[in-house]
Amino acid sequence: MLSHSPGMMNLGTIDVYLNTLGTSLQTVAYSDEEQENEAWRGYLERKNVVLEFLHSDLSLHLLRRHHKRIELLKKCSYYIEILPKHLALGDQNHLMLPTTLFQLIDPWRFQRMKKVGTIQTKIQLLLLSDLLEELERGRQELVHFLENYDMMTFLSQWDTIKQRLSYLSDQMDYFLALLVPGRLYVKHRLVSDVGIAKIPHIRLVLSTKLPLMFDRRESVAYEDWVSLKWFVNSQQPQLEQYELRFKLLESRTPQERAHCGTMNVTSNTFEIHNLLPDRLYRFTVKRAETYTLVYEQWHDSILLKTKPYLEEEMESATSEP
């Protein structure tokens, strides 16, 4: 028999070693493949979370709707509304009407609350615009993550992405809450000490009225008069007091500079007569100012040009050769 030198393996030992090594390498390969599959599944799951958030809570369609809503809110009229907080203990009467409450409120203190309401409304509108811009930037950031991050980068940055999702979700909730005018916080008692037995508990809230809009199709100019019509968000307006103004543009004489006026109107249609023919006028409509108005920055205007007199047209036609 042949003797074997120390440190050398026979053929059988080599076969066993190679088989063992092959099995180990195969196990490592399977393990790496499973890890890659697991990472890929985790990547797809997390990516779908971001996509679902973009398609539902932060979709382009929804952001455009919110933008239109803010533009509408900027055109609204804002009022203080006085409401009873609750009935006094043991009081069997119905809730006091707001007109009755007004008689009990100190006028000077109420004027101070109107200033607070004005400031609160301005801040609320500014916050809404800032929040919407932040949500739009957040959407762009999430889209950038999806389009530019590979799987490994996306997974390594997942904690940061998850924090952004949570933050943007909270900001959206805050934005939606601000869309509705809220309560005014009263630091001092508004009801004067008038010697009544039970001082009512009241609360002040901000309410909105949609802007008045001229009906561009129904508002028509004739030779020396115009017929105007306006509405509130395509709905039949309630009985309100309106203020209608008109002004001649590009006056040609000093007398024409005074060709303007203001009318108080109680319906949503009105005719203005004794206008100059073939001239351009601006008409503006707004609600008549009330005691509870706190903020109103926008009023709708329309430009209409009166037609030339028919006689003037006939004279110009007959004078032509």
Side-chain angles (χ1 to χ4, degrees):
M1 295 180 64
L2 296 174
S3 61
H4 300 285
S5 302
M8 295 183 63
M9 296 184 292
N10 58 26
L11 293 176
T13 304
I14 292 175
D15 289 338
V16 172
Y17 173 77
L18 291 177
N19 290 335
T20 304
L21 179 61
T23 303
S24 299
L25 291 175
Q26 189 176 17
T27 302
V28 172
Y30 285 151
S31 178
D32 290 343
E33 184 178 354
E34 289 178 357
Q35 289 179 0
E36 290 180 2
N37 291 338
E38 185 67 25
W40 181 253
R41 284 193 296 269
Y43 168 67
L44 291 180
E45 290 176 357
R46 289 162 173 78
K47 184 177 180 180
N48 286 334
V49 169
V50 179
L51 285 172
E52 183 178 356
F53 183 75
L54 289 175
H55 292 159
S56 58
D57 294 22
L58 217 58
S59 68
L60 284 175
H61 174 70
L62 190 61
L63 292 178
R64 292 191 188 104
R65 282 180 52 191
H66 289 326
H67 181 75
K68 292 181 179 179
R69 181 74 179 275
I70 292 177
E71 293 304 311
L72 179 62
L73 288 174
K74 290 179 180 179
K75 297 178 180 179
C76 286
S77 304
Y78 292 81
Y79 298 83
I80 284 184
E81 189 173 352
I82 301 177
L83 299 174
K85 191 173 183 180
H86 53 73
L87 286 172
L89 184 62
D91 194 346
Q92 301 299 323
N93 297 325
H94 294 289
L95 294 176
M96 301 180 71
L97 296 175
T99 53
T100 306
L101 291 175
F102 266 120
Q103 299 174 2
L104 302 177
I105 291 177
D106 184 277
W108 182 80
R109 295 174 184 173
F110 185 73
Q111 289 298 324
R112 289 182 58 185
M113 287 309 303
K114 285 180 62 175
K115 293 180 180 179
V116 173
T118 302
I119 295 173
Q120 182 170 317
T121 301
K122 291 180 179 180
I123 292 175
Q124 188 168 343
L125 293 175
L126 288 174
L127 277 176
L128 283 171
S129 298
D130 291 344
L131 284 171
L132 185 58
E133 290 180 2
E134 186 173 7
L135 291 172
E136 290 172 342
R137 289 194 301 268
R139 175 185 168 79
Q140 294 174 358
E141 185 179 7
L142 294 178
V143 171
H144 175 79
F145 293 155
L146 293 175
E147 293 180 347
N148 296 278
Y149 282 8
D150 57 22
M151 182 184 72
M152 297 308 298
T153 306
F154 189 90
L155 291 176
S156 65
Q157 296 295 321
W158 175 244
D159 287 341
T160 301
I161 296 173
K162 187 168 59 174
Q163 290 176 4
R164 290 297 295 162
L165 288 173
S166 178
Y167 176 77
L168 290 172
S169 179
D170 292 340
Q171 292 300 90
M172 176 60 77
D173 291 340
Y174 184 35
F175 175 85
L176 295 176
L178 279 178
L179 283 176
V180 181
R183 177 179 176 180
L184 280 174
Y185 296 96
V186 183
K187 293 184 178 180
H188 305 286
R189 193 175 66 183
L190 292 178
V191 179
S192 302
D193 187 7
V194 292
I196 58 177
K198 296 178 181 178
I199 298 178
H201 296 278
I202 62 174
R203 57 191 175 97
L204 302 182
V205 295
L206 287 173
S207 62
T208 60
K209 289 186 178 181
L210 293 174
L212 301 175
M213 304 285 290
F214 276 111
D215 189 329
R216 262 65 182 175
R217 299 181 63 180
E218 296 292 333
S219 298
V220 184
Y222 300 92
E223 286 82 0
D224 60 353
W225 65 285
V226 295
S227 176
L228 301 172
K229 183 177 181 179
W230 54 91
F231 57 88
V232 179
N233 197 29
S234 300
Q235 297 177 358
Q236 191 69 22
Q238 299 177 353
L239 182 60
E240 292 186 279
Q241 295 282 339
Y242 305 106
E243 184 179 287
L244 183 63
R245 297 182 180 182
F246 75 95
K247 182 179 181 180
L248 173 66
L249 302 181
E250 299 180 358
S251 55
R252 301 169 185 172
T253 64
Q255 292 78 9
E256 289 183 354
R257 294 175 185 171
H259 203 69
C260 58
T262 302
M263 286 77 64
N264 294 320
V265 186
T266 57
S267 67
N268 66 320
T269 59
F270 196 75
E271 295 179 358
I272 302 178
H273 293 263
N274 300 321
L275 301 179
L276 299 176
D278 197 22
R279 304 298 293 274
L280 186 64
Y281 286 85
R282 175 185 287 117
F283 303 91
T284 305
V285 65
K286 57 174 288 189
R287 291 184 177 89
E289 188 169 339
T290 63
Y291 185 62
T292 58
L293 178 67
V294 296
Y295 186 78
E296 186 181 57
Q297 288 293 103
W298 185 86
H299 308 128
D300 193 22
S301 295
I302 186 174
L303 297 179
L304 292 175
K305 186 176 182 179
T306 54
K307 297 179 180 180
Y309 274 132
L310 184 60
E311 303 87 73
E312 295 177 354
E313 295 178 355
M314 294 179 62
E315 290 177 2
S316 62
T318 55
S319 62
E320 293 180 358

